[in-house]
Amino acid sequence: MNIALNPLLDFSDLPQFAAIKPDHIGPAIDSLLDQCRNVVKELEEPIAQVTWENFVEPLENVTEKLSRAWGIVGHLNAVVDTPELRAAYNENQPKITEFWTALAQNLTLFTNYKALQLGPDYAGYSAARKKIIENAVRDFRLGGAELSEEDKPRFAEIQEKHAALTTRFSENILDATNDYALFVEDEAELAGLPDDAKQAARAAAEKDDKSGYKFTLHFPSYFPILQYADKRSLRETIYRANATKASELANQPAWDNTQNIVDILQLRDEEAKLLGYKNYAEVSLVSKMAQTPDQVIGFLQDLAKRARPFAEKDLAELRSFAQKELGIEKLEAWDVTYASEKLREQRYAFSEQEVKQYFPEPKVIAGLFRTIETLFSVAIKPDSAPVWHPDVKFFRIEKDGALIGQFYIDLYARQGKRGGAWMDDARGRRRLEGTNDMDGIQTPVAYLTCNFTEPAVINGKTKPALFTHDEVITLFHEFGHGLHHMLTRVDELGVSGISGVEWDAVELPSQFMENFCWEWDVLQHMTAHADTGAALPRALFDKMIAAKNFQSGLQTLRQVEFSLFDMHLHYDYQPAGKQSVQDVLNAVRAQVSVMTPPEFNRFQHSFSHIFAGGYAAGYYSYKWAEVLSADAYGAFEEAGKASGNVLSGDTGARFLREILAMGGSRPAIDSFKAFRGREPTIDALLRHSGMAA
Ligand SMILES: [Zn+2]
């Protein structure tokens, strides 16, 4: 194969999706890895005077190519999975990981970054360049680059053991989940369950050559029981099984995560101390917007205090409803979901099907584009590019007639496409070497991927897809990430768009965009009944709003409980001390919960976010970012009150200039304050959740 003709190595413009075949992947990645290694080798030679031009730029140029090419492969693997593509992906992935891991531990590069920071040119660099250098030095330090030769082997050992333990932690959950089966013979015992849940359970039993119905601990299988099953003992059985999963109470000693939890926390604590920090929470926060563990704990406790009266009211209502309407004298943990569902149905009866009729795809997309165009003074126009599937659409964004970004939208679920919704970058904005005008800008390109229902074909005629309100919110959410990536004005790749944005602030633009899906004026322009063309009626809208905040007090306290537990485990819990992990959880519950779960509840044994995901001492990020997005949106509500239009162009211009355009080039708190003129406050979040004082 002629490497010069390999379409994965063509970086002149947009990816050549029509031409890329699985056979191209191996040779392209090998060639790019060679190029990267050669450049790294050259940069390892002594440099008399390290500068941006002789060090960062060549490194960035060559690694960007690798990222872009591998980004295309990863994207294809996610959206048009085939056995050939998957094989090529799996074969090349270890090589990629190995390269990045080695790069992150390359001490010569670390020394060069530090030399740059101390060099004579540094003071004259742009804020963006300074931030990139600062981030690089920080990441090398957190990776153990400054440890003594004595400590390095132990640090590496900790990393390895930690990786093995976290993998083990999630494998145990998976195995325990797969192992559990509850068979129900008599259909009468399943009273209350929707037909689709029963059919799925029947099919599962059939697969095992069994009669009756099979339920497992996979969410879509057990959750309908908690939500709908009239038979209380059935709910209790499945609740207990799920709440003790992978714990010492589950009668599955091989999959008990008790010791894994302690060992994981022990390793993190040791790592933190080797790096010179007091605890792992401090390590986690180095690269986040929140400054100290105490600040995070203070934030969470304050939120708990404010949510508590609402949670108490939610619970009192639920208890009284369960007593009067359902004959449940003492509300137990396995009654909560069931009784809540019944209460919700009684109070906010409207069907998702009914709402869906008002959200046909063309109207929703036009409404989304109109919102963006009005807010940020841009124009979104259809554009053309090679795509990976005929359903994919491609658009360009222009500002004052000039191209500033492009995006692909791939809306529908299909065979071979990974579930969920996400935004990913195809390439980032950067100024190309030695140029100083608009032509010297590489404009950003984004992928927006969803898994909505495709348009139905009825009697040979295609009817537009109808979206649920949740799907519309998801679309706006992902577009918020997309706007962050595409509307950036930063010229340096490492901090343009979403690159380099702090973890606990990255959801600001996405959650911000969701708010428009709850605005009456916006919805009037975004809805048209599939048959009559009528916009969403006010009465239905009011019901949707009321349902939105159902039990928000209880839900908030639940999130706070998880977040505080996570923070304390990584902050003041001593793995070798007298206090157990369960003690920490009990203490948090005593402090914030209004309804204490049963003594046997071992939810921590399947808390993958913090023991097997990237959320250690970071679970608070969900609520933290919500404060920022709600408060930022508050500025639009204020403008709307003054002018009668929440789609305020002036406020949008400011949001664009101070937040979206700045990307990761300065700390998120500075961007927020520049936009809002003050520190963030919690008030807007409480108001949006129906918990205003
Ligand atoms: Zn998001």
Side-chain angles (χ1 to χ4, degrees):
M1 200 183 286
N2 186 346
I3 199 80
L5 299 176
N6 191 317
L8 266 175
L9 298 176
D10 175 6
F11 298 99
S12 59
D13 198 8
L14 298 163
Q16 305 275 350
F17 284 112
I20 297 166
K21 301 281 173 272
D23 284 352
H24 294 122
I25 296 172
I29 296 303
D30 286 342
S31 158
L32 290 168
L33 281 170
D34 276 346
Q35 291 175 39
C36 284
R37 287 194 203 100
N38 286 338
V39 170
V40 171
K41 202 182 283 168
E42 281 164 28
L43 295 175
E44 281 173 333
E45 297 296 321
I47 306 175
Q49 178 66 60
V50 184
T51 66
W52 185 270
E53 286 76 17
N54 71 16
F55 172 58
V56 184
E57 214 158 75
L59 186 62
E60 204 170 63
N61 287 340
V62 76
T63 52
E64 188 206 8
K65 286 185 181 151
L66 180 66
S67 300
R68 275 171 66 181
W70 188 243
I72 293 170
V73 177
H75 178 69
L76 288 174
N77 187 49
V79 295
V80 281
D81 179 36
T82 62
E84 297 77 28
L85 188 60
R86 189 189 295 196
Y89 179 85
N90 288 337
E91 196 186 306
N92 286 281
Q93 202 196 1
K95 294 188 269 181
I96 302 274
T97 311
E98 195 194 315
F99 171 75
W100 290 116
T101 309
L103 196 72
Q105 287 161 0
N106 187 315
L107 291 185
T108 316
L109 301 188
F110 178 46
T111 312
N112 284 351
Y113 277 112
K114 281 197 294 188
L116 259 184
Q117 212 169 22
L118 299 170
D121 295 347
Y122 187 76
Y125 282 160
S126 66
R129 286 191 176 180
K130 283 182 184 161
K131 193 76 179 16
I132 290 173
I133 296 167
E134 207 179 282
N135 289 354
V137 170
R138 173 197 75 196
D139 293 342
F140 272 110
R141 284 197 174 122
L142 291 178
E146 278 189 333
L147 292 178
S148 69
E149 288 311 313
E150 252 162 81
D151 286 340
K152 269 183 184 162
R154 178 59 191 158
F155 189 82
E157 198 180 10
I158 290 173
Q159 307 298 312
E160 231 168 87
K161 282 192 171 165
H162 183 266
L165 280 172
T166 55
T167 306
R168 188 71 200 277
F169 183 90
S170 40
E171 284 171 355
N172 282 348
I173 297 169
L174 193 62
D175 289 345
T177 302
N178 287 331
D179 178 68
Y180 180 87
L182 174 69
F183 286 93
V184 176
E185 278 302 320
D186 189 357
E187 196 189 339
E189 303 215 342
L190 302 179
L193 233 62
D195 284 340
D196 58 344
K198 278 197 270 191
Q199 278 156 12
R202 175 71 205 108
E206 227 159 61
K207 230 177 147 190
D208 286 6
D209 282 323
K210 294 261 174 61
S211 58
Y213 302 83
K214 179 187 177 183
F215 295 92
T216 70
L217 292 183
H218 289 285
F219 186 85
S221 178
Y222 80 82
F223 196 70
I225 293 189
L226 291 180
Q227 201 173 9
Y228 297 111
D230 294 332
K231 192 174 175 191
R232 199 181 191 194
S233 63
L234 185 64
R235 298 200 302 267
E236 184 180 349
T237 305
I238 210 94
Y239 175 89
R240 192 178 281 270
N242 192 52
T244 56
K245 188 169 62 183
S247 81
E248 83 283 8
L249 300 175
N251 225 354
Q252 306 160 316
W255 306 317
D256 179 5
N257 270 332
T258 309
Q259 194 56 43
N260 289 337
I261 291 175
V262 177
D263 292 346
I264 287 169
L265 292 170
Q266 173 82 57
L267 289 172
R268 286 177 184 164
D269 189 56
E270 194 185 340
E271 178 191 312
K273 283 171 180 148
L274 279 176
L275 290 173
Y277 295 92
K278 287 203 278 298
N279 49 66
Y280 189 80
E282 286 185 354
V283 177
S284 165
L285 295 188
V286 173
S287 52
K288 293 190 172 78
M289 178 180 166
Q291 298 287 303
T292 64
D294 283 329
Q295 185 192 11
V296 174
I297 290 172
F299 158 68
L300 292 167
Q301 284 174 340
D302 179 47
L303 183 55
K305 205 177 77 198
R306 291 163 190 262
R308 195 178 180 92
F310 296 91
E312 279 168 349
K313 189 166 149 274
D314 289 342
L315 186 61
E317 278 173 4
L318 189 64
R319 281 195 170 125
S320 126
F321 173 82
Q323 242 169 23
K324 284 191 197 118
E325 307 281 329
L326 306 172
I328 297 174
E329 276 312 308
K330 184 175 181 295
L331 191 76
E332 299 284 0
W334 43 92
D335 302 320
V336 171
T337 310
Y338 175 76
S340 299
E341 178 60 25
K342 292 279 178 281
L343 177 59
R344 199 186 62 80
E345 279 168 19
Q346 192 195 66
R347 248 197 222 169
Y348 312 110
F350 67 88
S351 88
E352 202 167 66
Q353 278 305 319
E354 186 189 351
V355 175
K356 244 177 122 163
Q357 304 306 316
Y358 291 95
F359 291 103
E361 178 189 328
K363 194 77 188 173
V364 171
I365 299 289
L368 169 68
F369 288 1
R370 174 184 171 271
T371 303
I372 295 168
E373 289 175 334
T374 314
L375 285 174
F376 306 122
S377 302
V378 293
I380 301 178
K381 298 176 177 168
D383 201 348
S384 63
V387 292
W388 53 92
H389 190 278
D391 286 346
V392 179
K393 296 188 181 85
F394 189 67
F395 296 88
R396 60 194 278 125
I397 307 181
E398 292 177 359
K399 193 162 179 73
D400 307 323
L403 172 74
I404 56 169
Q406 288 157 298
F407 58 93
Y408 304 85
I409 315 190
D410 185 355
L411 283 179
Y412 317 126
R414 61 172 175 265
Q415 193 80 33
K417 182 172 167 183
R418 188 182 302 157
W422 66 89
M423 189 289 290
D424 209 348
D425 63 317
R427 74 178 188 213
R429 179 184 154 105
R430 68 180 296 198
R431 181 169 294 285
L432 300 168
E433 261 169 278
T435 59
N436 218 353
D437 55 5
M438 259 317 278
D439 295 336
I441 292 290
Q442 168 178 296
T443 51
V445 180
Y447 304 116
L448 289 141
T449 312
C450 300
N451 270 279
F452 302 157
T453 316
E454 61 184 350
V457 180
I458 297 165
N459 299 331
K461 264 188 76 184
T462 308
K463 278 192 79 179
L466 296 174
F467 296 155
T468 65
H469 190 238
D470 273 350
E471 288 174 336
V472 175
I473 292 171
T474 300
L475 184 67
F476 272 67
H477 178 106
E478 297 310 331
F479 244 93
H481 288 305
L483 293 173
H484 206 181
H485 181 63
M486 293 185 285
L487 300 188
T488 189
R489 304 301 291 166
V490 176
D491 288 346
E492 301 291 349
L493 189 65
V495 288
S496 77
I498 52 170
S499 301
V501 176
E502 293 103 310
W503 167 289
D504 46 358
V506 85
E507 296 295 333
L508 193 173
S510 53
Q511 294 180 344
F512 163 81
M513 284 299 292
E514 291 182 22
N515 289 288
F516 293 103
C517 304
W518 296 102
E519 285 293 344
W520 173 244
D521 291 335
V522 175
L523 286 172
Q524 286 303 292
H525 289 97
M526 202 163 71
T527 50
H529 193 279
D531 299 327
T532 66
L536 186 76
R538 184 77 207 194
L540 186 53
F541 172 74
D542 288 342
K543 278 188 201 170
M544 289 161 65
I545 289 281
K548 171 185 180 232
N549 293 329
F550 178 55
Q551 293 187 342
S552 61
L554 281 174
Q555 276 161 22
T556 301
L557 282 196
R558 204 173 129 85
Q559 287 299 310
V560 171
E561 180 187 316
F562 295 169
S563 307
L564 270 179
F565 174 55
D566 164 43
M567 215 56 205
H568 282 298
L569 279 185
H570 294 100
Y571 180 48
D572 37 24
Y573 162 73
Q574 307 292 338
K578 282 203 183 90
Q579 201 191 24
S580 71
V581 170
Q582 187 68 46
D583 292 337
V584 176
L585 183 56
N586 292 345
V588 168
R589 282 175 174 167
Q591 193 189 6
V592 301
S593 304
V594 289
M595 184 176 173
T596 311
E599 191 269 326
F600 64 76
N601 182 300
R602 294 284 182 276
F603 111 92
Q604 67 272 30
H605 288 68
S606 8
F607 197 5
S608 300
H609 273 86
I610 68 164
F611 294 121
Y615 281 84
Y619 196 83
Y620 74 92
S621 300
Y622 286 108
K623 281 289 158 201
W624 185 272
E626 233 181 307
V627 168
L628 301 177
S629 62
D631 198 6
Y633 191 73
F636 288 80
E637 292 173 310
E638 288 158 17
K641 256 190 206 130
S643 71
N645 186 5
V646 74
L647 295 180
S648 154
D650 288 347
T651 318
R654 227 159 13 93
F655 188 75
L656 172 59
R657 189 178 69 232
E658 303 296 355
I659 293 185
L660 296 177
M662 296 309 285
S665 67
R666 68 179 174 194
I669 186 66
D670 294 352
S671 294
F672 185 91
K673 286 200 290 199
F675 169 64
R676 210 60 174 100
R678 56 162 172 75
E679 298 275 341
T681 76
I682 207 167
D683 306 355
L685 172 65
L686 296 172
R687 188 158 39 78
H688 293 166
S689 321
M691 297 193 296

